[in-house]
Amino acid sequence: LVYAASSSAYGDQPTSSKRESDLPSPISPYGAAKFAGESYCHAFTATYGFETVCIRYFNVFGPRQDPNSQYSAVIPLFITAMLAGKQPTVYGDGHQSRDFTYIANVVHGNLLAADADAKLAAGRTFNVANGRSTSLLELLVQLNQLLGTKIQPIHAAARVGDVRESLADITQARKCLAYEPQVDFDEGLRRSIDYYRGLVKK
């Protein structure tokens, strides 16, 4: 069983690079629930020998994300707003960073986990991400360059429970799952823009 875990289990660690050996410290009910699922997976492997692998996702983005969903990632929100000529909303100062991970990389990690050597992977948790940190303000600069716009954000109050820095250490996934990101962040942004631009044309 491959469980869709979350980087939110780390909470707001003092270091930006998150390692699986870090003590989990979720600061949101969502993060606590996702970590509880991990704990059940580990317990089932330890008690019954049922093979489980937990994959912690880091800010997944890509085509088909619904920008109108309350659970939508920031990238589709920013892209669709900017395609419409609107200013995207940034909560806080915009210097909070994320390890934005294109969906193809997550799918790749899941497939590797499902086929991994049980001696290396069963009962364990792995980060599957891009391994690169980008702030929200840096994201806006890059989107403006790709869209040919000069749109500035609207700043709103920081949200309670929002993690300041998020960057995955993917060393263990590389070692045990032979994982490597298949699509880099820049290419993922281009593909996402093409998708949402196509929806506007329709």
Side-chain angles (χ1 to χ4, degrees):
L1 181 143
V2 178
Y3 173 70
S6 171
S7 60
S8 61
Y10 290 112
D12 213 0
Q13 301 281 359
T15 56
S16 61
S17 182
K18 307 300 190 288
R19 298 174 177 84
E20 296 89 344
S21 58
D22 293 342
L23 182 66
S25 184
I27 58 175
S28 68
Y30 171 80
K34 296 299 284 186
F35 180 61
E38 281 190 55
S39 299
Y40 275 110
C41 287
H42 297 162
F44 268 80
T45 299
T47 303
Y48 305 111
F50 181 62
E51 295 177 5
T52 66
V53 183
C54 299
I55 300 296
R56 284 182 180 163
Y57 301 161
F58 281 71
N59 299 92
V60 183
F61 75 98
R64 298 185 182 87
Q65 278 187 312
D66 182 2
N68 297 313
S69 168
Q70 62 177 320
Y71 300 108
S72 180
V74 67
I75 288 179
L77 290 174
F78 280 14
I79 291 175
T80 52
M82 294 170 75
L83 283 172
K86 298 178 181 178
Q87 294 175 274
T89 300
V90 170
Y91 295 94
D93 61 12
H95 291 290
Q96 59 268 44
S97 62
R98 298 290 181 265
D99 192 331
F100 294 112
T101 308
Y102 187 67
I103 181 62
N105 296 325
V106 172
V107 172
H108 180 57
N110 285 349
L111 293 174
L112 290 172
D115 197 41
D117 184 341
K119 294 179 181 178
L120 294 175
R124 296 186 59 185
T125 293
F126 297 96
N127 294 334
V128 166
N130 190 38
R132 166 182 166 184
S133 182
T134 303
S135 75
L136 296 189
L137 293 183
E138 289 171 337
L139 170 63
L140 281 168
V141 169
Q142 195 155 356
L143 287 175
N144 272 315
Q145 290 174 345
L146 292 171
L147 292 168
T149 54
K150 295 182 179 181
I151 299 174
Q152 297 301 310
I154 297 171
H155 284 269
R159 293 183 292 191
V160 176
D162 195 19
V163 172
R164 183 67 178 176
E165 296 181 313
S166 184
L167 169 63
D169 183 324
I170 56 176
T171 302
Q172 290 304 309
R174 282 177 164 141
K175 179 179 178 181
C176 300
L177 306 180
Y179 169 79
E180 287 292 340
Q182 303 297 292
V183 179
D184 67 21
F185 178 57
D186 298 344
E187 177 60 24
L189 279 185
R190 292 187 186 94
R191 294 185 186 184
S192 299
I193 289 171
D194 288 344
Y195 171 77
Y196 290 107
R197 183 177 278 140
L199 292 183
V200 172
K201 290 179 180 178
K202 292 179 182 179

